[in-house]
Amino acid sequence: MNKIAKDHVIYAMSSENKPVLNVHSGDRITFETMDCYSDEVTPDEPDRRCHRINPASGPAAIEEAMPGDTLKVTIEKIALGRRALVGSYPNSGTMKELVTRRMIHFLPVQERQLEFRSDLIVKADPMIGVIGVAPQEKEVGCGTPGEHGGNMDCRKIREGSVVYLPVFHPGALLALGDVHAVMGDGEVMGSGAEIAAEVTVKVEVLKQACAGPWVTDQDQLYALASAKTMEEALKRCCQKMNCQLQRQLGCTPETAGMLMSLEGNSEICQVVNDLVTLRFGMPLVRFLSKEGNRS
């Protein structure tokens, strides 16, 4: 069984990280992950300040992955821990003017439900906050999103979805973490339901290039991009999707853009990191060949 234990973590994605596991294209890997606070904030120590956040378990090297390839990561299962936590923090998130004190709220998890209060139950919808490969740059912290993936906090990265990442270095060096039992689009308070988990994925190497991260679910293809502002991130998402539609449909930028206005949706992943992340979704059927396969 290919498994990475939670004591094998990194806090920055880099080509200099030594792989803790070597696998082949087509293999499955189970990543045991800490929560975003390195499992250090507990009911016994709720006020503990964690200075190393967003650990990612790994990395795993995929033998066939070479620069210029695409790493296809299918999210097969997310098994949640028994307790999540959510926080509020002064000077953090989109409501920082209203928040004057740090609060940590612990949420028991049972049968995919979270007890926010005894009279308020929240349905779990597990997703992966951090997933990425070694970036083209020397090093990028796990809390930062980019072309390599990273802390995108996209709630579409969940069981049954597929993440496509560009490969910049031999082996790709895949790592993931920062699982949320549930998180709304935007992560507006700066925290989802942070939780330890076990994530099982299937990795495959595609011998074709990939322009930054993409995600598919049952019926949508999403182009993801991160930037300093929402406007710039959305612009990059739209440009990526427009180019993909041109290639797929053999159409002009104008025609692709009109179709995007008719069928596409601009959606927020997160707006609380130094770089915000947006996604632009289109119906997956537009990218299927006549035989029903994604081209």
Side-chain angles (χ1 to χ4, degrees):
M1 180 180 181
N2 297 315
K3 186 171 184 177
I4 296 178
K6 66 165 61 180
D7 55 345
H8 293 293
V9 298
I10 57 174
Y11 290 88
M13 295 187 179
S14 168
S15 61
E16 307 208 349
N17 290 329
K18 301 300 181 184
V20 297
L21 182 68
N22 289 274
V23 299
H24 290 281
S25 179
D27 284 350
R28 287 174 172 82
I29 310 169
T30 296
F31 292 82
E32 187 181 53
T33 69
M34 297 180 181
D35 67 28
C36 76
Y37 302 109
S38 300
D39 290 347
E40 293 181 358
V41 180
T42 67
D44 293 332
E45 295 185 276
D47 296 324
R48 180 167 181 168
R49 295 298 197 268
C50 178
H51 299 292
R52 304 193 78 186
I53 63 171
N54 283 336
S57 298
I62 298 84
E63 295 285 351
E64 295 83 358
M66 297 299 293
D69 293 342
T70 293
L71 183 64
K72 176 183 178 182
V73 185
T74 302
I75 314 300
E76 294 190 337
K77 184 177 181 181
I78 302 176
L80 299 176
R82 299 177 63 181
R83 182 185 66 232
L85 63 93
V86 61
S88 70
Y89 313 96
N91 302 313
S92 177
T94 60
M95 293 169 280
K96 54 189 173 184
E97 294 83 1
L98 303 176
V99 177
T100 59
R101 59 193 176 118
R102 181 182 187 268
M103 290 182 62
I104 298 292
H105 196 46
F106 294 94
L107 314 172
V109 180
Q110 188 172 7
E111 296 181 354
R112 294 261 170 152
Q113 291 186 329
L114 289 75
E115 184 180 315
F116 188 79
R117 291 189 327 209
S118 60
D119 62 339
L120 207 167
I121 302 300
V122 178
K123 184 178 179 181
D125 187 9
M127 49 80 68
I128 300 169
V130 172
I131 181 169
V133 297
Q136 196 165 23
E137 303 91 331
K138 183 177 180 181
E139 178 179 289
V140 176
C142 289
T144 301
E147 292 298 293
H148 67 293
N151 191 24
M152 298 179 289
D153 280 326
C154 174
R155 70 181 183 90
K156 301 298 182 180
I157 302 177
R158 54 194 178 193
E159 287 182 355
S161 69
V162 180
V163 183
Y164 297 88
L165 298 165
V167 177
F168 298 107
H169 301 279
L173 299 181
L174 175 68
L176 63 84
D178 187 31
V179 173
H180 302 107
V182 64
M183 188 198 83
D185 279 335
E187 197 182 23
V188 295
M189 198 62 168
S191 173
E194 314 293 342
I195 194 166
E198 283 194 1
V199 180
T200 300
V201 305
K202 180 180 179 181
V203 294
E204 299 170 83
V205 175
L206 307 180
K207 293 298 178 178
Q208 59 192 57
C210 169
W214 294 77
V215 175
T216 61
D217 59 17
Q218 188 173 1
D219 55 14
Q220 294 277 310
L221 171 69
Y222 302 97
L224 276 68
S226 302
K228 289 284 188 182
T229 66
M230 286 193 285
E231 291 81 4
E232 180 60 27
L234 178 59
K235 179 180 177 180
R236 295 181 188 179
C237 289
C238 289
Q239 289 176 341
K240 286 172 60 175
M241 186 63 76
N242 190 293
C243 291
Q244 189 70 18
L245 284 167
Q246 289 181 59
R247 288 191 293 269
Q248 179 68 24
L249 302 179
C251 64
T252 64
E254 294 80 9
T255 301
M258 287 187 285
L259 186 61
M260 290 168 63
S261 282
L262 296 177
E263 295 187 320
N265 289 291
S266 308
E267 302 174 358
I268 295 171
C269 295
Q270 58 80 23
V271 291
V272 293
N273 296 327
D274 290 339
L275 300 179
V276 301
T277 306
L278 272 72
R279 62 181 182 265
F280 188 90
M282 284 289 292
L284 187 58
V285 68
R286 297 294 172 226
F287 303 91
L288 299 178
S289 67
K290 293 181 180 180
E291 290 75 23
N293 298 315
R294 181 172 180 252
S295 57

